[in-house]
Amino acid sequence: MAGICGGQLGSVAVLALHLTAVLFAALTAYALISALYVFISGRLKTRAAARLLAVAAAACCVGLPLYFIGNWAGDRAVSGGMGAGLLKQAASVLEQLHTLLPQNAEQYLPESAEHLRAMAAEALHLHAAQIQAGGMDALRLFGHIIAGLVIGAIAAVQAPPERAVSDKPLVRAASQGFGRLYHSFIQVFGAQLKISALNTALTAVYLLGILPLIGKPLPLTGALLALTFAAGLLPVVGNLISNTFIVLLSLSHGLTLTLLSLSWLVGIHKLEYFFNAHIIGHKIKAAAWELLTVMIAMEAASGLPGLICAPVMYAQLKSIWAERAWV
């Protein structure tokens, strides 16, 4: 997509049109299917069969985890165990807060779990329009991701890695632009794997080391670490996803452990900015301060999509500058 729009201009257009999810989903599908195709084609004689098997294997890699997670969450929601458990944990935390906080601050807290439920219902009623809009945005985002995965799969099948370069100027320019974008994405994604592994290791120190040591281990530790690694492949925002589950499970051990978990995970989240700058910067041959500056500037300009796109776009720029011997 961005290759057709002309390299860097295409990336800017993606940000302006709010199509970051489409772009990254398409590049992910393209990279996964291309890698599987290269692996499978060396073992099969027919390229058509290798392409079909690569698409099927990629669909399984993406679809099966989503299916099992959705099925588990649906079962818990239908049984009511998740909501009842969270309400019970919230009641325990409220009781501790009423004990610990001074009286002038205590009056601003819900008196009980039922009071909290009533406040939540009132908030839902007052902000129904915003919640509906948020639901539509989430649905649109999901649709964009599906569309991106389909686009990337079609591109990988119709344009395998060994395709010949066309002599048409526009096609050649688009191919070169996409090639530069794809190479930058692979560089950043490879570095993000290291970042995710580091985040998972730091989270494991907390879940498998500190919490058992103080006698308050969390349930589902293995699943939490798997989620931390998978979500960590998403720059910055991935940590927020896994951290939410860890903090919610920490509620079962009371307010002190919840605040400890939150502090530890917020620290990791803030350190990820520097992990990104150092690890990705080393991969694309950029100083940490360069990439950190670009990330902050693009977050200010375009929000979270700009922050996610910043390493890929800067890797493209560095590649262009290197080709022209500017750096």
Side-chain angles (χ1 to χ4, degrees):
M1 181 184 298
I4 296 174
C5 295
Q8 204 65 22
L9 281 177
S11 299
V12 173
V14 165
L15 279 176
L17 295 173
H18 308 290
L19 295 176
T20 305
V22 180
L23 174 66
F24 276 80
L27 289 172
T28 301
Y30 185 91
L32 181 59
I33 293 174
S34 297
L36 290 170
Y37 172 76
V38 171
F39 176 77
I40 295 172
S41 62
R43 291 158 176 77
L44 293 178
K45 295 181 179 180
T46 58
R47 294 179 179 178
R51 292 176 192 170
L52 289 176
L53 282 176
V55 172
C60 290
C61 290
V62 175
L64 286 178
L66 293 177
Y67 170 78
F68 287 120
I69 292 172
N71 195 35
W72 173 81
D75 289 343
R76 295 295 299 271
V78 170
S79 65
M82 185 179 295
L86 288 177
L87 190 62
K88 183 178 178 181
Q89 292 165 7
S92 174
V93 171
L94 281 175
E95 184 179 347
Q96 294 182 55
L97 285 173
H98 279 290
T99 304
L100 295 173
L101 293 178
Q103 190 172 4
N104 57 349
E106 185 183 345
Q107 61 182 326
Y108 297 103
L109 293 174
E111 297 176 0
S112 63
E114 290 302 320
H115 189 197
L116 179 62
R117 188 202 297 267
M119 291 177 60
E122 183 180 1
L124 289 174
H125 178 71
L126 292 175
H127 302 284
Q130 293 90 328
I131 294 171
Q132 184 178 9
M136 291 300 296
D137 289 341
L139 187 61
R140 187 181 298 111
L141 175 63
F142 182 73
H144 282 177
I145 292 173
I146 296 298
L149 292 174
V150 172
I151 292 170
I154 293 173
V157 170
Q158 293 186 345
E162 69 271 13
R163 66 189 184 282
V165 177
S166 172
D167 58 351
K168 305 294 183 182
L170 181 59
V171 176
R172 186 169 61 251
S175 178
Q176 290 174 350
F178 177 78
R180 187 178 289 114
L181 172 65
Y182 179 68
H183 179 69
S184 300
F185 174 77
I186 292 299
Q187 282 185 310
V188 172
F189 185 77
Q192 193 64 40
L193 280 172
K194 296 180 181 179
I195 294 168
S196 179
L198 183 57
N199 286 339
T200 305
L202 290 174
T203 305
V205 168
Y206 181 71
L207 295 180
L208 300 178
I210 295 176
L211 292 185
L213 190 64
I214 63 177
K216 295 184 177 180
L218 292 185
L220 304 174
T221 301
L224 287 174
L225 290 176
L227 176 64
T228 299
F229 180 78
L233 298 178
L234 299 172
V236 181
V237 71
N239 261 354
L240 297 177
I241 297 172
S242 57
N243 292 356
T244 300
F245 286 93
I246 294 173
V247 171
L248 287 176
L249 288 174
S250 299
L251 286 171
S252 61
H253 289 290
L255 179 62
T256 303
L257 188 69
T258 302
L259 293 177
L260 178 61
S261 297
L262 186 61
S263 301
W264 181 276
L265 297 171
V266 166
I268 295 177
H269 176 68
K270 296 306 179 185
L271 280 174
E272 187 176 1
Y273 280 87
F274 299 97
F275 293 159
N276 272 292
H278 178 73
I279 297 175
I280 296 179
H282 178 74
K283 194 74 173 179
I284 66 175
K285 297 179 175 61
W289 67 265
E290 293 179 61
L291 190 55
L292 192 58
T293 303
V294 171
M295 290 168 65
I296 293 172
M298 291 196 64
E299 183 184 24
S302 303
L304 184 60
L307 179 63
I308 294 173
C309 284
V312 176
M313 291 182 66
Y314 194 62
Q316 282 183 277
L317 277 176
K318 292 288 287 190
S319 175
I320 294 171
W321 294 343
E323 286 179 5
R324 299 180 181 180
W326 289 359
V327 293

